Amino acid sequence: MKPKLNASSAVAALVCAALVLLPVYSAATGNIFILTLFTRIVIFALAAASLNLIMGYGGMMSFGHAAYLGIGGYAVGILAAEGIGSGFIQWPVALAASALFALVVGALSLRTRGVYFIMITLAFAQMAYYITSGLSRYGGDDGLTVYKRSDFAGLINLSDRNQFYYLCLACLFGGLYLIWRIVNSRFGLVVQGVRSNEQRMQAIGFHANRYRLVCFVIAGTICGLAGALLANNTDFVSPAVMYWTRSGDLMVMVILGGMGSLFGPVIGAIVYLLLEELLSQFTEYSGLILGPVLLLIVLFARGGIMGLLGRMSRG
Amino acid sequence: MVESLLRVDNLVRRFGGITATDNLSMEVVPGELHAIIGPNGAGKTTLISQLTGQLMPNSGTIHFGGRDVTGLPSYKRSRLGLARSFQITSLLKDFSAIDNVALAAQAHDGHSFRFWGNARKERHLRDAARAALERVGLGKRADIVVSQLSHGEQRELELAVALATKPKLLLLDEPMAGLGVTESARMVSLLKELRKEVTIVLVEHDMEAVFALADRITVLVYGRVIACDVPDAIRKHDEVKRAYLGEQHAVTRHG
Amino acid sequence: ADSVKIGFVSTFSGPTAVIGNDMRNSFELALDHLGRKIDGKPVEVIYEDDQQKPDVGKQKTEKLIQSDKVDFIVGYIWSNVLLASLKTAVDSKTFLISANAGPSQLAGELCSPYVFSTSWQNDQTPQAMGTYMTQKGVKSAFLIGPNYAAGKDMLAGVKSTFKGQVVGEEYTVWPSQLDFSAELTKARNSGAESIFVFYPGAAGVQFLNQYTQAGIKQQIPLYTAFTIDETTLPLQKDNAIGVPGTQQWVNDLPNEENKKFVADYRKKYPGLRPSFYGAQAYDAANLINSAVIAVKGDLTKKDAMKAEMEKANFKSVRGPFKYGNNHIPIQNFYLQDVVKDADGQLSLKTVATIVKDDQDRFHDKCPMK
Amino acid sequence: MADNLLEVDAIETCYGLSQVLFGLSLQIKAGEMVALMGRNGMGKTTTIRSIMGLTPARAGAIRFAGEAVRGLPSYKIAKLGIGLVPEGRQIFPNLTVRENLVAASGNRLGASDPWTIEKIHALFPRLAERTSNMGVTLSGGEQQMLAIGRALMTNPKLLILDEATEGLAPLIRDEIWSCLSMLKGRGQSVLVIDKNVENLARIADRHYIIERGKTVWSGTSEQLIAEPDLQHKYLGI
Amino acid sequence: MYLVIEQLLNGLQFGLLLFLLAAGLTLVFGIMDFVNLAHGSLYMMGAYFAATFVAWTGSFVLGALLALGATLLLGIVLEFSALRHLYGRDHLDQVLATFGLILFFNDAVRLIWGPAGLALPLPTWLTVPVQIIPGVYYPAYRLMIILVALAVAALLYLVVMRTRVGMLIRAGASNREMIGALGINIKLLFTLVFGLGAALAGLAGLMQAPILTVQIGMGENILILAFVIIVIGGIGSIRGAFMAAIFVGMIDTLGRAFLPDLLRKVLSGAAASTAAPALSSMLIYLLMAIVLVVRPEGLFPAAKR
Ligand SMILES: Nc1ncnc2c1ncn2[C@@H]1O[C@H](COP(=O)(O)OP(=O)(O)OP(=O)(O)O)[C@@H](O)[C@H]1O
Ligand SMILES: Nc1ncnc2c1ncn2[C@@H]1O[C@H](COP(=O)(O)OP(=O)(O)OP(=O)(O)O)[C@@H](O)[C@H]1O
Ligand SMILES: [Mg+2]
Ligand SMILES: [Mg+2]
C-alpha cells in the first residue's frame, strides 16, 4: 500500500492545494461567496469522511449519519441560547453528545446487519429528528438561531470569514489524517477484517462488535464536530439537518467520491455540492442532469470518482 | 490417566426436528491427534462449531483445559487457545494472504485498540505470518489477494490462519478437501509435524490420511458416538464399516 | 448603482414549487406593471431556489448578498428557511421582505429595522377563523393540524379567539402522514359540532379527499386556515365546495389595483389563477418601488427608505393597510368560500370581513417602538 | 470430426489481467467419459468456466454438439445440454432442497428415462430426509449431494463434475463412482475433475493432464497406468 | 365500543394500504435483492399516468389499465437500459444509481406536468360510503383498496413461493452465475420481474391517488414506509411483509387514536399533550427499532420461513 504517484493521489494533492489557496483567490478577486460556498463544502466533506470511516472501511451502512450533524449543532445552539458562548465548553459538549448518541445507537443497531442496519440507523436518526422538532423551547422545527458564534477566548475569531474557513479546513485535514492513521492501525485492520468476514474474525479471537462499536462512535464524534462547525457557519440549527434525505446526501457524497478511499468523500462532497449549486444557476431542472450523471457514474465508474481515477492511471 | 485437554459431556444440539448432536460425550487428551469421522450430516461440523462457540448447544457442557467454556463466545475461546479451520472456506476475501494470517497473529498479541501505528509495518506480526505461510507452502503467494487464489490454495491458507493464532488445540474441518494429490500428501506430512507441537482434532473424509495420522478415532452417526478407539480397531469395527467405510476402505492399508 | 438589484428566494423545485412559481409569476407581473423600471432604473431580479431546506436558503441568501450584492431580498415561503437566513440579511443591513413566512419570532423579539412583511403573522389567520366560528355561534370544535411549529401556532391561534368548547385536539405526523382516518373517526365520535383544520399544500388535498370520502362532509362542517387556495383548488375540486377559510387577501377584493392584478395575471399565465402567495409577492414589488422612489434612487439612504416603507405608502392589492411597530401589516381578514364561477370553474370568493385592522399579538415583544 | 460432442481448441482465458489458460485444447466424444487432471491452480476449473461461458475465453474455439459456443451467454450453452456440478457446490442457500432440485429440473433434450426427484432421492437418501430444509443449513457433504442431484435434474448430454466427491464420506463416494459407471453405461458423456486417480483410471476412457493452462498429456486409462512417471511428474504421485 | 371497532378497521385498512405500497418493493428488493429507491418514482409515475389517462379516456378503469401498462413498460425500459447492470453489485451502488433516478423523475414530472400536481377524481360509484355493519360506514373506495391489496398479496405469494418461476427468481437473486449455468435466461426473467414490480408500484400509486394526492415527491415518504415494512417483516418474506404492514397499520392508527388519552391518564395534561404527538410521530420508527433490536432479522426471517 505504498502511496504511488497516480491520478487519484495527484488529484487529491491538487484539490488540497486549491482548498488551502482558496481564500487568497477569494481576496484577490473579491469573490466572497466562493469562500462561503466552500466553507460549507468543507464541513460536509468532514461529515462525509466520517461516514466513510464506518461505511467504506467498517462496512456499516449508516443511514442516519446526519443525526450527528444535528446533535453537534444543537449542542452549540442550545448552549449559546442558554448564554454559554465559550467554544471550550460548547465544542467538547458537542463531541461528547455525539459520541454518547453514537454509543447508544451503535450498541443497539449493531445487533443487526446489512439492510436491517441501514434501516435501524435511519430509525434512530428519525427519532432524533422528531425529538428536536418537539423542542419548542429551542424553536421546535423552526430551528434555533445562533446569535454569536463560538467564542475561543480571542484565540480565533469564528466570525472572520478567512479564519473560520481555515478552522474548518484544519478540522477536515485533521479528521482525514486521523482516519488515515486509524485505517492503517491495528484497530483499523480489525475493523476492515470484520467488514470482510465477521465469522472468521470472531473465530481468530476478535470480539467483532466491540471494534465495530468503537469505530461507530469515532465516526459519530467526528461528524458531531462537523455539526458544531455547521451550526457556526449557518448561525442556525434546525431539525431539517437531521432529516433522512440529509443522511442520504451524505451517503451519496461518499459513494460518489469513492467509498473506502480516504480522499473520496472530499471529492464527492465537492462534486456533489458544486454540481448542485452550478446546475441551479443554469436550470431549474437540475435533476434532469444530476440524476443521470449519478447513474452514469455508478454504471461506468465503479468505486466512484476515485475508483475511476485509479483505473485511469493504471491504464 | 492423563488430564484431558478437551472434555465434552452430554452435548445436545437440535435444529428444528433434527438432533444434530445427540447426547454426545468425548475427550481429547493433550498431544494426541484425534480424528472424527462419520457419514455426511452426522454432525461433525456442528460439533466443531459448538466447540469453538459459533453455535451454542441446547444442553451439555464443554470443558477446555479444565475450564468450563460452554457459555463463552467464540472470540474468548480463541484466546484460550482453540482454533479452527472451516469446512467451507471462510477467509477475508479482499485481503492479501499475508494480511489474513497477520491478523490472526495480531489477535493473540495483546489487544487491538491501537489506533495510531501502522499495523502492516509491525515486524513481529509480519514475520509470524510469513512463517505460517511458509509452513503450509504459500510463502510465494503471500501478497496475492485471497479471491485470486485457487480453491486449493485457499484451503491451505485456512490452515495457516489457524496456525497463526498459536493454538493449544487445533480443530480442522476437512483440511484435505479440495487439495490435489500432491498437496494432500504435503498436508499429511505437515500435520505429522504439527502434531508434535499441538493437539489436533481432525474431521476428514480422506481415510488414507485419517488412518495415517490419527492416534484415536471417534465415529459419529446421527449425532451419536458409535465408536471411539485406535485406528486399527476402528478399521475392523463392523458397525463403522457398515455405516461409513464400506468394504473397500476396511481393507485398504495406507502405504 | 444604476440598476436596482433584487434577490428572490423561494422554492422552485419539489412539490411546493407551485407556490414559488406563483410568487415569481406575480412578482414578474408587478415588474411588468412598473415598466420593469423603478425610478427610471432598470430592475434586475435574481431568483434562487431554497429547495425548502433552511441551510440551502441561508446559503442562497448569502450568495445574493455577498456575490450579487443585491439591494433587496424578497420571498421566503417557509418560516424555518426565513429564520435561518435572517441573520445574514440583517447583519449586512440588506432589506429583507418576507412575502409569506410569518413566524412569531419575526413579529416579536427578532424584529428588525431592515425586515418587512407583506403577509401576516402566522396566528392572525386562524384567529380570524376562530372569531368567525364564535360569531357564527359554533358551540364546539374538534381541531386537527400537523405536528410542527406552524401547526401548533395555528391551533393555538384558533383557540385564542374561539369561544366555544374545544372537545378535542389532534396533531398528525408531519410531513409524512398519509392517512387521517384515525383522526376523522375520533372527530366524528367526539360529538363536536365542527372541525377546524390547518393543512397547507398537498396535505390539504389529501385531508379533504379523506374527509369527503369518509362521508363526514355531510355530517360535520369543516373550517380551515391555509388549506384551500388557488394552488390547491384545482386538485381539491368539488371537495372544497362549501368549506370556508380566512385570508387577508381574496382574488375578488373590489379595489382597482387588485382587479388589474388578477385580470392581468390570468391573461399573462393562461390557465393559472393568482393565490394569496402571489398577491403578497406583488405587494412586495410595489413596496420596494415606493421606497426607491422616495429616496430618488439613492439606495444608500437606508434610513429614509425604511421610513418610507413604514408608511406602507403604496397601493396594496388587499386594499390599504398600515404597518405596526414590528413591520408586520395591520390589516383586515376576510372569510372566503369556494363557489362555481360564471364559466363553471371553481374559485374563491369573499363572503365577509371578519376582523378589521387586526394586529398580531406579538408586537409588544418587538423592541422597536 | 463430427462425432466430437465437445471440442475445445486452443482457448486462452484471463481473469482481468492475469492469463490462466494458454491455448488449451481437448475433445470429448459422445458417450465418452473424460477426466481432467492437474495440480491445484493449474486451470482445471477455469477450463470448465470457459466451456460454460462463465469466464468467457478470449481466444480459441469451443464447439458443443456441433455449435460454436464461445461467446454465447452461459444459459444458452447450458441449454444445449451441459449440466455442471461446480467447484464449491454453489447450491442456492435460500431455496429448500426440493426447490433446488425443482428449479433445475428440465428435460430439454427429451431423454427417454429422465431423472426425477424420486430417483435423486433414491441415489442420495440423505436428501430425502432433508427435503424441506433450506440449502444453507445442509452439511457440506449434503450440499455436495444436492449439487450433483441438481446437475442430473437437467438431464444433460454432457455432465461436468468439478471435484464432485469433495467432502463426501467414503461410502457415498463409492456410490458416486458406481453411479458414474452406470451413467456411462447408459451412454452419458461426462467430463470429470477429481483427485482420485485410481478411480478415474478405473472408469474414465481418456485423460487430459493440465499444467499451467495447457494440456501437456492426453491418453487412455491404459496409457496412464502404463506410465507411472507421468503421474509422478504432473500429479505428484 | 363502536369507536374501537372503527379504529381497528381503520388500522386494518391502513395496513392493507401499506401492503399495497410495499408489494412491488417486496418483489424487487425482498426477493430480487435490488435496493430500488426509484420504486417511489415508479409509484409516482403510476399516479401521473393514471391521472392523465383517466382524463383522456374519461374512464377510471380504462385509464387505470393503461397506466398499469405504461408503468410496466417504463420499468422494463429502465431495467433494460441501466439497472440490469447493477444486480450483482453492492447495495450502495444501487442506492446511488436509483437515487439519481429519483432526482431525474422528480424534475421530469415537473417539466412535463408542471409543479402543481394532478387530480384523479373517482367515478361516482366509488365515492359513496357503504354501511358495513349497522352504524359503521366505510368509504366504498377504501373497500376496493382492501380487495385489491388482498388480491395482490395472494397473487404474489402464490407466484413467488409456489411456482417454479418464483424459485428461479429467488435462486437468481442469491447466485446469478449458477442459475445461468442451469440454462435459465436470468436476464430476461429479471427484466420481466422488475417490470412486474414496477407495475405493482404503479398500481399502488394509482390506487392511492384518489385518497392522497398526485404530487411530485409523493413517492419518497411512502418509500421509507415501504422499506420499514419489509424490514420489520423480514427481507424476502412476503408473508412477513403482509403481517408487518397490518401490524404497522394497526399500531400507527391505534397509537394515534388512543395514545393521547392513555398518556393523559398517566401524565399531567400539559406533559401529555406535548408527549403524545411527539411519540406518535416516532411510533413507526420506534416500532422498527424495537423489533430489530429484539429480532435482528425481522419478524419472519426468510431463511427460516
Ligand atoms: N442451521 C441448521 N439448521 C437446520 N439443520 C442444520 C443446520 N446446520 C446443520 N444442520 C443439519 O444438521 C446435520 C449435521 O450437520 P453437520 O454440518 O454437522 O454435518 P457433518 O457431519 O459436518 O457432515 P459433512 O461430512 O457432510 O460435512 C445435517 O443433517 C444438517 O442438515
Ligand atoms: N477469480 C479469479 N481471479 C484471478 N485469478 C484467479 C481467479 N480464479 C482463479 N484464479 C487463478 O487462476 C489459476 C487457475 O485456477 P483454477 O481455479 O482454474 O485452478 P484449478 O486447477 O481448478 O485448481 P484447484 O484444484 O485448486 O481447484 C490459479 O492460479 C488461480 O490463482
Ligand atoms: Mg461438515
Ligand atoms: Mg478447481
Side-chain angles (χ1 to χ4, degrees):
Chain A
M1 295 242 164
K2 277 172 273 160
K4 277 171 273 160
L5 192 71
N6 53 26
S8 41
S9 34
V11 167
L14 270 177
V15 168
C16 286
L19 286 176
V20 170
L21 294 177
L22 191 81
V24 181
Y25 170 81
S26 157
T29 59
N31 186 343
I32 305 173
F33 177 65
I34 192 166
L35 199 59
T36 314
L37 179 64
F38 268 86
T39 309
R40 179 158 173 269
I41 290 180
V42 165
I43 294 171
F44 273 101
L46 178 62
S50 72
L51 178 60
N52 185 37
L53 175 62
I54 48 175
M55 211 160 85
Y57 296 105
M60 290 170 271
M61 312 300 169
S62 167
F63 199 178
H65 209 61
Y68 308 103
L69 278 181
I71 291 172
Y74 266 100
V76 170
I78 291 178
L79 286 176
E82 299 296 344
I84 301 170
S86 165
F88 293 115
I89 299 174
Q90 288 179 351
W91 290 37
V93 169
L95 297 188
S98 309
L100 189 70
F101 186 71
L103 188 69
V104 174
V105 171
L108 294 170
S109 305
L110 282 170
R111 297 168 52 86
T112 65
R113 295 287 175 267
V115 178
Y116 296 102
F117 184 82
I118 297 185
M119 295 305 289
I120 194 171
T121 45
L122 166 78
F124 282 111
Q126 286 294 89
M127 286 189 240
Y129 168 84
Y130 284 118
I131 287 174
T132 47
S133 300
L135 288 180
S136 37
R137 184 179 157 85
Y138 301 109
D141 66 306
D142 271 350
L144 178 62
T145 305
V146 181
Y147 292 104
K148 253 186 104 263
R149 295 192 174 180
S150 304
D151 168 30
F152 282 96
L155 286 177
I156 176 170
N157 178 8
L158 267 52
S159 302
D160 178 289
R161 243 178 239 116
N162 287 319
Q163 290 188 30
F164 184 65
Y165 175 77
Y166 277 119
L167 176 68
C168 294
L169 200 60
C171 289
L172 174 63
F173 287 163
L176 287 177
Y177 182 66
L178 179 73
I179 291 171
W180 181 65
R181 294 307 298 235
I182 289 179
V183 164
N184 287 302
S185 71
R186 282 189 170 206
F187 174 80
L189 284 195
V190 175
V191 167
Q192 291 168 74
V194 171
R195 175 199 65 200
S196 178
N197 186 339
E198 181 177 357
Q199 160 178 290
R200 175 35 96 189
M201 293 299 281
Q202 209 62 37
I204 58 179
F206 291 109
H207 186 7
N209 267 359
R210 198 172 292 163
Y211 290 89
R212 275 208 173 108
L213 182 59
V214 171
C215 186
F216 194 80
V217 171
I218 294 174
T221 315
I222 297 177
C223 194
L225 175 65
L229 288 171
L230 192 65
N232 275 293
N233 183 46
T234 22
D235 303 303
F236 179 79
V237 51
S238 79
V241 294
M242 307 191 173
Y243 202 55
W244 65 271
T245 48
R246 266 274 172 263
S247 299
D249 286 344
L250 288 178
M251 263 176 141
V252 169
M253 288 174 204
V254 174
I255 311 169
L256 179 66
M259 207 170 57
S261 119
L262 183 71
F263 208 70
V266 180
I267 301 282
I270 294 176
V271 171
Y272 185 65
L273 293 174
L274 268 190
L275 216 55
E276 217 180 48
E277 176 66 32
L278 291 181
L279 284 178
S280 74
Q281 303 297 316
F282 294 118
T283 167
E284 252 165 52
Y285 300 97
S286 55
L288 289 181
I289 300 166
L290 190 57
V293 166
L294 293 182
L295 184 65
L296 289 177
I297 285 183
V298 177
L299 286 178
F300 298 108
R302 279 192 140 172
I305 298 173
M306 286 313 251
L308 187 69
L309 290 174
R311 236 167 310 129
M312 267 162 49
S313 57
R314 254 175 275 129
Chain B
M1 181 73 210
V2 204
E3 174 75 12
S4 61
L5 179 62
L6 178 77
R7 209 182 74 230
V8 177
D9 292 301
N10 308 99
L11 207 62
V12 177
R13 170 73 211 207
R14 287 182 217 94
F15 293 113
I18 307 161
T19 309
T21 307
D22 192 355
N23 201 23
L24 182 147
S25 304
M26 67 178 284
E27 254 184 328
V28 177
V29 294
E32 76 169 333
L33 192 149
H34 193 124
I36 299 177
I37 62 174
N40 295 117
K44 304 179 293 295
T45 303
T46 307
L47 174 62
I48 301 275
S49 296
Q50 289 172 91
L51 296 182
T52 51
Q54 270 96 28
L55 268 180
M56 287 298 158
N58 294 112
S59 66
T61 57
I62 301 166
H63 283 82
F64 179 64
R67 182 169 164 192
D68 186 351
V69 298
T70 317
L72 287 190
S74 61
Y75 70 95
K76 283 196 179 149
R77 297 194 205 185
S78 168
R79 293 205 194 133
L80 293 176
L82 261 169
R84 80 174 287 186
S85 74
F86 286 90
Q87 177 177 9
I88 296 169
T89 316
S90 178
L91 293 162
L92 314 178
K93 292 256 183 200
D94 48 351
F95 282 55
S96 66
I98 191 162
D99 279 347
N100 268 271
V101 187
L103 266 169
Q106 182 184 319
H108 291 263
D109 186 58
H111 68 84
S112 285
F113 285 101
R114 294 199 204 158
F115 301 93
W116 213 244
N118 188 333
R120 288 202 175 85
K121 294 209 173 110
E122 289 193 45
R123 233 344 190 325
H124 64 288
L125 294 181
R126 293 276 127 175
D127 289 347
R130 213 163 272 283
L133 284 176
E134 290 292 349
R135 228 171 161 173
V136 301
L138 284 176
K140 294 217 173 57
R141 309 281 278 167
D143 292 319
I144 309 287
V145 176
V146 170
S147 59
Q148 297 189 357
L149 292 176
S150 82
H151 185 55
E153 289 169 327
Q154 296 191 14
R155 302 296 309 158
E156 293 171 336
L157 185 56
E158 274 276 341
L159 182 61
V161 168
L163 277 183
T165 64
K166 300 221 165 55
K168 292 201 192 75
L169 177 61
L170 193 53
L171 303 158
L172 301 177
D173 199 354
E174 302 200 26
M176 316 284 176
L179 290 189
V181 183
T182 334
E183 291 81 0
S184 287
R186 197 164 71 209
M187 180 69 78
V188 170
S189 52
L190 173 61
L191 292 183
K192 270 184 182 154
E193 275 190 33
L194 281 179
R195 58 180 298 184
K196 294 174 195 151
E197 302 158 28
V198 48
T199 314
I200 296 177
V201 170
L202 174 69
V203 172
E204 190 48 71
H205 289 300
D206 182 338
M207 284 307 109
E208 292 184 8
V210 168
F211 286 121
L213 287 167
D215 296 309
R216 284 199 299 159
I217 299 177
T218 295
V219 186
L220 292 189
V221 174
Y222 283 109
R224 277 187 294 263
V225 177
I226 60 163
C228 176
D229 213 329
V230 295
D232 276 335
I234 294 291
R235 218 195 287 266
K236 296 192 197 93
H237 199 289
D238 278 339
E239 206 179 333
V240 176
K241 273 199 257 179
R242 211 169 37 247
Y244 182 65
L245 291 175
E247 286 308 316
Q248 194 193 355
H249 288 275
V251 290
T252 351
R253 230 185 53 251
H254 192 74
Chain C
D2 31 74
S3 73
V4 178
K5 265 192 166 184
I6 303 173
F8 198 108
V9 178
S10 188
T11 306
F12 300 116
S13 61
T16 49
V18 63
I19 300 176
N21 281 355
D22 182 46
M23 289 170 75
R24 178 170 52 187
N25 289 346
S26 305
F27 201 75
E28 286 288 309
L29 182 66
L31 295 180
D32 287 352
H33 285 169
L34 293 172
R36 304 206 72 87
K37 283 206 165 81
I38 293 183
D39 194 41
K41 292 185 187 184
V43 184
E44 190 187 331
V45 192
I46 302 159
Y47 294 95
E48 292 287 352
D49 177 14
D50 61 27
Q51 300 172 24
Q52 205 173 342
K53 294 176 188 157
D55 56 326
V56 176
K58 146 102 177 173
Q59 182 179 317
K60 301 294 186 187
T61 308
E62 278 179 348
K63 172 187 171 282
L64 289 169
I65 291 172
Q66 296 169 354
S67 182
D68 301 319
K69 309 211 160 39
V70 297
D71 306 301
F72 297 89
I73 194 156
V74 188
Y76 301 102
I77 306 177
W78 315 106
S79 295
N80 53 5
V81 177
L82 175 72
L83 290 170
S85 311
L86 201 57
K87 189 165 180 288
T88 310
V90 171
D91 286 355
S92 69
K93 304 196 170 157
T94 310
F95 282 112
L96 183 150
I97 298 163
S98 168
N100 191 62
S104 55
Q105 296 95 314
L106 194 72
E109 67 270 16
L110 285 189
C111 70
S112 152
Y114 300 101
V115 179
F116 286 82
S117 157
T118 52
S119 52
W120 22 255
Q121 194 280 316
N122 273 348
D123 297 26
Q124 288 180 283
T125 315
Q127 279 178 328
M129 184 45 88
T131 308
Y132 168 66
M133 289 161 75
T134 310
Q135 286 171 3
K136 212 181 158 207
V138 174
K139 301 228 167 36
S140 62
F142 195 93
L143 317 183
I144 309 177
N147 183 26
Y148 74 111
K152 291 177 199 159
D153 286 353
M154 293 294 159
L155 298 206
V158 182
K159 281 196 287 187
S160 72
T161 51
F162 176 58
K163 297 284 180 296
Q165 188 199 357
V166 174
V167 290
E169 206 180 331
E170 288 292 323
Y171 292 96
T172 60
V173 181
W174 183 258
S176 55
Q177 187 159 331
L178 306 176
D179 188 77
F180 298 107
S181 43
E183 288 77 15
L184 286 169
T185 300
K186 272 178 116 169
R188 182 166 50 193
N189 285 284
S190 69
E193 197 181 291
S194 70
I195 302 176
F196 168 85
V197 298
F198 158 68
Y199 279 111
V205 180
Q206 198 171 316
F207 186 89
L208 278 189
N209 276 340
Q210 301 187 9
Y211 166 75
T212 313
Q213 285 164 16
I216 304 181
K217 194 168 178 185
Q218 288 91 331
Q219 302 169 346
I220 312 172
L222 185 67
Y223 299 84
T224 66
F226 297 112
T227 304
I228 301 168
D229 60 51
E230 282 81 358
T231 64
T232 60
L233 195 54
L235 306 182
Q236 290 160 329
K237 299 219 155 108
D238 292 356
N239 288 346
I241 292 181
V243 179
T246 43
Q247 206 60 268
Q248 90 290 7
W249 174 89
V250 189
N251 63 81
D252 62 349
L253 287 180
N255 65 72
E256 286 310 312
E257 203 61 29
N258 192 41
K259 281 182 185 155
K260 185 170 163 214
F261 166 58
V262 174
D264 288 356
Y265 187 105
R266 295 186 62 181
K267 218 179 295 159
K268 185 170 181 192
Y269 309 103
L272 294 182
R273 288 162 187 262
S275 72
F276 68 93
Y277 300 105
Q280 290 153 191
Y282 188 89
D283 276 359
N286 285 316
L287 177 65
I288 291 173
N289 184 48
S290 72
V292 177
I293 288 175
V295 295
K296 306 217 166 48
D298 184 356
L299 295 170
T300 55
K301 291 186 176 161
K302 303 227 167 180
D303 285 341
M305 289 202 283
K306 165 178 170 278
E308 179 64 19
M309 288 201 271
E310 281 173 344
K311 290 184 211 146
N313 189 11
F314 68 99
K315 292 216 168 66
S316 166
V317 290
R318 79 196 78 184
F321 73 92
K322 289 186 303 218
Y323 270 119
N325 60 328
N326 54 2
H327 297 178
I328 306 281
I330 300 174
Q331 57 192 342
N332 296 350
F333 280 83
Y334 305 99
L335 184 72
Q336 64 177 33
D337 205 351
V338 178
V339 294
K340 279 230 160 77
D341 252 1
D343 48 356
Q345 284 187 323
L346 292 176
S347 73
L348 290 162
K349 173 174 170 289
T350 318
V351 181
T353 306
I354 303 296
V355 275
K356 276 193 153 8
D357 298 332
D358 185 48
Q359 182 166 24
D360 65 89
R361 45 190 186 128
F362 298 93
H363 67 273
D364 299 338
K365 294 209 183 113
C366 172
M368 293 191 300
K369 292 298 164 205
Chain D
M1 284 219 284
D3 58 342
N4 275 346
L5 178 64
L6 176 71
E7 239 176 278
V8 176
D9 189 20
I11 56 167
E12 295 180 15
T13 306
C14 305
Y15 291 106
L17 293 177
S18 67
Q19 187 167 355
V20 175
L21 298 187
F22 300 87
L24 181 138
S25 303
L26 62 85
Q27 291 89 34
I28 301 176
K29 293 197 187 63
E32 203 180 21
M33 179 184 275
V34 171
L36 213 51
M37 299 194 282
R39 283 201 290 256
N40 282 133
M42 288 304 161
K44 302 182 294 292
T45 300
T46 310
T47 305
I48 283 167
R49 292 181 60 85
S50 302
I51 295 173
M52 289 299 298
L54 296 171
T55 308
R58 213 186 46 180
I62 305 173
R63 299 180 67 77
F64 180 75
E67 279 194 52
V69 297
R70 187 170 76 88
L72 289 187
S74 61
Y75 78 91
K76 285 201 177 145
I77 302 178
K79 266 188 179 165
L80 292 173
I82 304 184
L84 174 67
V85 181
E87 184 175 78
R89 307 170 186 104
Q90 314 238 6
I91 54 147
F92 301 115
N94 53 342
L95 267 58
T96 63
V97 169
R98 191 187 172 77
E99 286 173 339
N100 262 282
L101 294 174
V102 172
S105 69
N107 187 7
R108 295 194 187 89
L109 307 166
S112 54
D113 180 20
W115 285 94
T116 59
I117 293 196
E118 289 69 36
K119 286 190 190 166
I120 302 289
H121 283 173
L123 180 61
F124 302 118
R126 197 73 210 179
L127 290 185
E129 292 170 33
R130 294 282 175 277
T131 187
S132 54
N133 278 40
M134 285 299 193
V136 69
T137 66
L138 296 185
S139 85
E142 290 164 345
Q143 293 188 6
Q144 191 69 59
M145 296 172 198
L146 183 56
I148 297 174
R150 186 179 63 183
L152 290 175
M153 287 295 283
T154 66
N155 292 296
K157 262 192 214 155
L158 173 66
L159 180 63
I160 301 183
L161 303 147
D162 192 350
E163 317 244 1
T165 60
E166 175 186 327
L168 291 182
L171 256 179
I172 305 287
R173 215 178 284 177
D174 293 346
E175 284 279 322
I176 303 248
W177 287 117
S178 45
C179 172
L180 285 182
S181 308
M182 183 266 289
L183 285 174
K184 194 182 120 188
R186 298 202 317 193
Q188 172 82 59
S189 318
V190 182
L191 175 60
V192 52
I193 298 175
D194 206 282
K195 66 177 174 183
N196 192 327
V197 182
E198 251 169 72
N199 276 317
L200 287 178
R202 193 161 52 81
I203 65 169
D205 301 304
R206 286 191 306 118
H207 307 263
Y208 287 89
I209 297 183
I210 297 185
E211 177 91 0
R212 289 182 213 293
K214 283 198 192 92
T215 33
V216 290
W217 183 89
S218 70
T220 61
S221 293
E222 292 74 33
Q223 289 168 319
L224 182 73
I225 298 168
E227 289 186 67
D229 278 11
L230 202 71
Q231 296 193 25
H232 183 71
K233 184 166 164 205
Y234 295 118
L235 309 174
I237 298 171
Chain E
M1 199 53 219
Y2 267 157
L3 184 63
V4 177
I5 293 177
E6 210 171 318
Q7 294 292 23
L8 279 173
L9 209 63
N10 284 335
L12 181 73
Q13 87 88 24
F14 184 47
L16 285 167
L17 193 112
L18 291 177
F19 178 76
L20 196 58
L21 301 179
L25 198 63
T26 321
L27 198 59
V28 174
F29 166 60
I31 314 289
M32 282 166 65
D33 194 33
F34 181 82
V35 181
N36 183 19
L37 297 187
H39 191 80
S41 299
L42 291 166
Y43 162 92
M44 171 176 76
M45 294 307 287
Y48 270 94
F49 283 145
T52 311
F53 290 138
V54 169
W56 268 4
T57 61
S59 151
F60 184 79
V61 176
L62 198 60
L65 287 177
L66 283 176
L68 273 186
T71 32
L72 178 81
L73 205 65
L74 180 65
I76 288 180
V77 168
L78 267 186
E79 202 272 356
F80 190 79
S81 57
L83 301 182
R84 61 163 43 184
H85 304 289
L86 299 176
Y87 287 128
R89 301 272 283 274
D90 198 275
H91 276 162
L92 288 177
D93 281 348
Q94 300 166 355
V95 166
L96 183 59
T98 52
F99 178 78
L101 287 181
I102 295 186
L103 298 181
F104 176 80
F105 276 111
N106 280 348
D107 278 357
V109 165
R110 197 151 53 88
L111 190 68
I112 300 171
W113 283 285
L118 297 178
L120 178 53
L122 282 176
T124 34
W125 54 275
L126 281 173
T127 49
V128 281
V130 182
Q131 184 165 7
I132 39 174
I133 40 175
V136 178
Y137 286 87
Y138 227 68
Y141 187 65
R142 294 208 174 210
L143 285 178
M144 183 158 122
I145 288 184
I146 292 182
L147 292 182
V148 172
L150 287 175
V152 165
L155 189 84
L156 211 54
Y157 184 80
L158 288 180
V159 168
V160 173
M161 301 318 273
R162 290 281 175 265
T163 66
R164 178 148 178 266
V165 170
M167 289 170 203
L168 292 176
I169 302 169
R170 283 181 283 142
S174 73
N175 191 341
R176 285 176 70 76
E177 191 170 72
M178 203 48 226
I179 199 89
L182 289 176
I184 311 294
N185 186 351
I186 189 73
K187 279 191 178 166
L188 181 65
L189 181 64
F190 267 36
T191 305
L192 294 178
V193 175
F194 191 92
L196 180 61
L200 284 178
L203 176 66
L206 74 92
M207 293 298 292
Q208 292 305 291
I211 36 174
L212 305 183
T213 51
V214 185
Q215 274 280 340
I216 296 162
M218 62 189 270
E220 275 131 61
N221 288 320
I222 286 171
L223 179 74
I224 289 289
L225 257 182
F227 270 103
V228 167
I229 284 163
I230 290 175
V231 160
I232 289 183
I235 297 166
S237 160
I238 293 173
R239 198 167 56 122
F242 186 76
M243 305 296 259
I246 292 187
F247 187 50
V248 168
M250 285 282 186
I251 296 271
D252 184 60
T253 305
L254 298 185
R256 279 185 289 119
F258 299 114
L259 199 65
D261 300 331
L262 276 179
L263 278 183
R264 249 163 242 143
K265 290 209 176 93
V266 266
L267 293 175
S268 75
S273 32
T274 51
L279 208 57
S280 62
S281 300
M282 289 191 287
L283 210 56
I284 288 182
Y285 295 101
L286 200 61
L287 180 74
M288 173 163 76
I290 292 172
V291 166
L292 291 187
V293 165
V294 179
R295 302 194 57 144
E297 307 218 307
L299 294 176
F300 299 88
K304 300 197 183 104
R305 270 200 296 162

